[in-house]
Amino acid sequence: MIYRRRALQRRLDELRDVLDGEAVDKLAERLNRAGKDRVAAMWELVVLHGLSKCGLLQHEVVLASLRRPDILLEQGTLRLTADVTAVSDEGIDKDNPYHELSQMIEAAKNKLKLPIGGLDLRVRSKHESTKRGTRTVLLVPPRRKLQEFVRQTIVPQLREQMTAGKFPLRIAIDDDDVGLDITIDPTKSPYISGGFAAYDVPKIKDRNPLYSALKAKAEQLRGADGITGVIVGDGDCVALSGRSANWDEVSTRQIVAEFFRQFSSVDFALLLSVRESRHGWAPYPKPVRQNDASLFVREGCNARSELNTLFQAMIEHFPKPAMMPVNGALRAREDDYDVGHHGGYSMSGSSVVRLGLREFTEIFAGLRTLQDNGAKYVEAARKMPREPNHLQAVVLRNLMAGRLPESIEVIKTDEEDNDDWVEIRFGGIDPAIAPLR
C-alpha cells in the first residue's frame, strides 16, 4: 500500500489507547483483507491517528439521523464531524478495459507458444457528447465480451499469420465499436508496450469519481452539529493526481465547488494524496514522495483558519509515503506482502556481505536461492533467462577458499522500511574445510 505495514501497525497500536478496541480490530481486519477497501481503511487509519494527536477524538458517534460518521473531534471551541473515504477511477477503468484486453492477448500468445512479451497494443478512441459535457471512450469490446473477442477474432488471425510464417504478426481492426492496432514481434520479448487516449480525465463537474465520492458521504453527515466535512484519500484517481487541467477538462476546484453548490450542509472537503519529485544531478535520482493535502472550505464558513491549522498538524503525524497511489492501489489487491530488500545487497571487499533479512530467512527456509535474484515469483522467474548473481559468487568463493562466516549481525531499520539487513562477515581460512598449512 501507500504506507509501510510497520508504520500502520504502530498507528493501530496507539489508536487502541484512544478508541474502542473493537473499532481498531475492524480497521485491522479491513487492512488485512485484499481489495480496494484496503486503501480506504488505510486512509481512515492515518487520519484517525493524526487527529487523535490534535484533540479529543471519538469514532462513529450516532447522530440523530442514526448515521455514524467516522470522526467527531473537539479541539477548543471547534467541533468537527467528518467522514473518510477513498476514491479511485476503477469504475471508469472497467468501462475501458484496456489492461484486461492486453492480459488476455498475452495469455493467448502463450497458448500459441509465442515468447513472453513482444506485444504492442494501440487502442483508438471516440468522444461521446451529452448535455452535461463530453467524455472519452476507448474503442474496445465490453468487458463481458473480451474473452470471446480474443478467442474468435484475435487468435484465428494470429494462427493464420504464424502458419504463413509472417513475422511480426499484425492485426488492425477499425469499425464503429472497436479500433485496435496489434503488433507482436518475438524479437522484442519480454517487453510489452501500448498506447491509448486519457479516458479518466474528468470533463463533467458532477459526473466523475471524485464528485460521486463526495456526494455519497454528504448524506452521512446530514443532521450533524458543528463543522462538517468529507476527507477523501487518493486510491488512484486522476482528479486527485495534481495534474493541471487542459482546456476541455474540469479542475478539482471546479468539482468541489459544484459539490458545495449542490450540498449546502457540508462545510469543507479535504483531499489527500501523494506527490513525487526527483532532485539532484544523478542520471536516475531517487524519487522523493511527500504527503499532500488540499483543503477546500465553503464560502461563508468562518472556521477556515482553524481547519487549516488542524489539518496541517494532522499531516505531521502521517507516515512517510512508500508508494504513489496508483501502485499502492494495485498492491492493495494482492494477498501476499510487498517484497523487502529482495535482490539488493552490498559488499565490503570480499569478506563482508549484506542482504535483506527476509530474503536471507527465505533462503534459510529453502523457499529460494541467491540465484533467484530476489524475484517475487520464484517459479516464474526460473523459467526466464537469469543473470549471474555476484553475491552468490562471492559467498561461493569464500567457501571454496575455506572461509566460513565468523559473525552474522542483523541491522535493524525503522517503521518506514519493510525489511532489515543481515551482515555476514567471513573469517580466516578454517582448517576444517581447507588444507592444513
Side-chain angles (χ1 to χ4, degrees), residues 188-351:
K188 295 185 179 180
S189 175
Y191 304 105
I192 296 176
S193 58
F196 54 89
Y199 58 81
D200 49 6
V201 174
K203 297 185 178 182
I204 305 175
K205 288 186 289 187
D206 58 354
R207 296 291 188 276
N208 58 79
L210 174 57
Y211 181 88
S212 298
L214 291 167
K215 177 182 177 182
K217 289 300 182 180
E219 186 63 30
Q220 188 83 348
L221 299 168
R222 196 175 300 278
D225 295 331
I227 303 298
T228 61
V230 183
I231 300 175
V232 182
D234 192 348
D236 183 22
C237 178
V238 167
L240 272 67
S241 67
R243 284 170 29 186
S244 300
N246 292 327
W247 67 271
D248 61 340
E249 301 171 21
V250 295
S251 67
T252 303
R253 183 174 297 279
Q254 288 174 299
I255 295 170
V256 177
E258 179 64 16
F259 168 69
F260 284 154
R261 188 184 72 80
Q262 296 198 31
F263 294 90
S264 58
S265 60
V266 181
D267 297 305
F268 73 87
L270 178 68
L271 311 184
L272 302 174
S273 189
V274 176
R275 297 290 178 261
E276 184 177 74
S277 59
R278 295 179 184 270
H279 304 286
W281 298 99
Y284 301 102
K286 187 176 181 179
V288 178
R289 302 183 187 95
Q290 294 181 319
N291 293 301
D292 181 79
S294 299
L295 175 63
F296 298 89
V297 181
R298 168 186 303 283
E299 287 294 331
C301 176
N302 58 9
R304 182 184 299 272
S305 177
E306 292 91 334
L307 289 172
N308 190 56
T309 300
L310 170 65
F311 292 131
Q312 283 183 355
M314 178 190 76
I315 292 289
E316 291 297 317
H317 296 282
F318 276 24
K320 182 180 178 181
M323 295 183 184
M324 294 299 290
V326 58
N327 293 321
L330 289 173
R331 299 290 81 79
R333 288 166 168 76
E334 298 178 352
D335 284 319
D336 56 355
Y337 305 113
D338 294 335
V339 295
H341 298 145
H342 291 63
Y345 61 86
S346 63
M347 296 179 287
S348 178
S350 61
S351 61

Side-chain angles (χ1 to χ4, degrees), residues 342 355-372 378 382 391 395 405 408 410 422 424:
H342 291 63
L355 72 157
L357 176 60
R358 288 169 56 184
E359 183 177 7
F360 173 83
T361 307
E362 290 168 10
I363 292 171
F364 194 49
L367 300 179
R368 65 170 66 244
T369 69
L370 282 174
Q371 187 58 38
D372 294 321
V378 174
R382 288 175 179 173
L391 180 60
V395 174
I408 300 177
V410 175
V422 171
I424 304 172

